[in-house]
Amino acid sequence: MPEPGDVIENPVTGERIEFRTAPTGRHRSLHFDYYLEPGGFGLGKLSHVHPIQEEGFDLQSGTLGVRVGGDEWEATPGTRFAVPCETPHTVWNAGSDEVHAHVEIKPALSIGTFFETMYGLARDGKTNAWGLPGPLQLAVVADAFREELYLAGLPKRLQRGAVGLLASIGRQEGYRAVYPRYSDRTVRITEEV
């Protein structure tokens, strides 16, 4: 679980998160500073949906490309917006300067651990150019974090069925949704030394 002050980076997508809070659960929010380098993008350039979470953005600097539902626009410093649960969305850096936004996700659930896993896989070279791991690894992660998000564009029921089947195979092959080297603070500190 991330702690306040922890910083994680995704070298593939150009994202960096500095956690401001570390709560998990159904009634708490996760707050973090989100940075996105020029040319960077969120979650594999794909629209995704949070089934029970709302995601709020408060843009501090840069130009953030935003797609929420069928609307697409550019957010500039001072722009605040919220993405309601069950709404497809994605973001990208639409300018030439680094984007910085304050982000709140509520309820937090385990979204911080999801970020740690996905960013860790990218740092270890285990993702494609969109920052997504191979199908079995992705299915294991998607199955474990199904309350946090799913990909937009495919029927949820069909997606859940396919993910469940592939995740079962992936777990048998040794893939995990959470790896201590990405999520255990003591392991990360030890590995850095």
Side-chain angles (χ1 to χ4, degrees), residues 4-187:
D6 282 357
V7 177
I8 57 173
E9 296 183 42
N10 186 324
V12 176
T13 62
E15 297 170 288
R16 185 173 80 248
I17 290 176
E18 182 175 335
F19 293 97
R20 296 166 66 196
T21 61
T24 61
R26 292 197 171 276
H27 304 292
R28 295 186 171 175
S29 298
L30 176 66
H31 296 262
F32 56 88
D33 284 295
Y34 180 70
Y35 300 91
L36 190 56
E37 66 186 34
F41 51 88
L43 194 63
K45 299 182 184 180
L46 302 171
S47 289
H48 61 281
V49 175
H50 302 290
I52 61 173
Q53 295 169 302
E54 178 178 288
E55 186 171 15
F57 290 82
D58 181 358
L59 196 64
Q60 303 297 301
S61 62
T63 304
L64 185 68
V66 180
R67 185 179 314 115
V68 176
D71 296 328
E72 190 171 303
W73 75 92
E74 291 183 356
T76 55
T79 302
R80 292 180 177 188
F81 65 94
V83 180
C85 64
E86 287 294 337
T87 304
H89 63 285
T90 191
V91 297
W92 62 93
N93 188 326
S96 57
D97 297 321
E98 180 179 69
V99 164
H100 174 210
H102 293 197
V103 176
E104 177 184 18
I105 300 178
K106 60 185 178 182
L109 303 177
S110 296
I111 195 76
T113 303
F114 167 81
F115 289 135
E116 288 177 318
T117 297
M118 294 298 287
Y119 287 26
L121 290 168
R123 283 192 312 274
D124 283 352
K126 296 181 179 183
T127 65
N128 62 20
W130 286 14
L132 298 173
L136 293 179
Q137 176 67 77
L138 184 59
V140 170
V141 171
D143 189 50
F145 295 101
R146 64 183 164 272
E147 282 194 330
E148 287 75 15
L149 68 115
Y150 63 91
L151 296 177
L154 294 172
K156 184 177 179 180
R157 199 174 180 122
L158 176 65
Q159 191 174 152
R160 295 289 188 219
V163 162
L165 177 61
L166 287 173
S168 176
I169 296 167
R171 284 188 293 272
Q172 290 175 12
E173 293 293 319
Y175 292 104
R176 302 160 124 186
V178 177
Y179 294 91
R181 67 183 175 271
Y182 306 144
S183 296
D184 184 335
R185 194 163 197 262
T186 58
V187 170

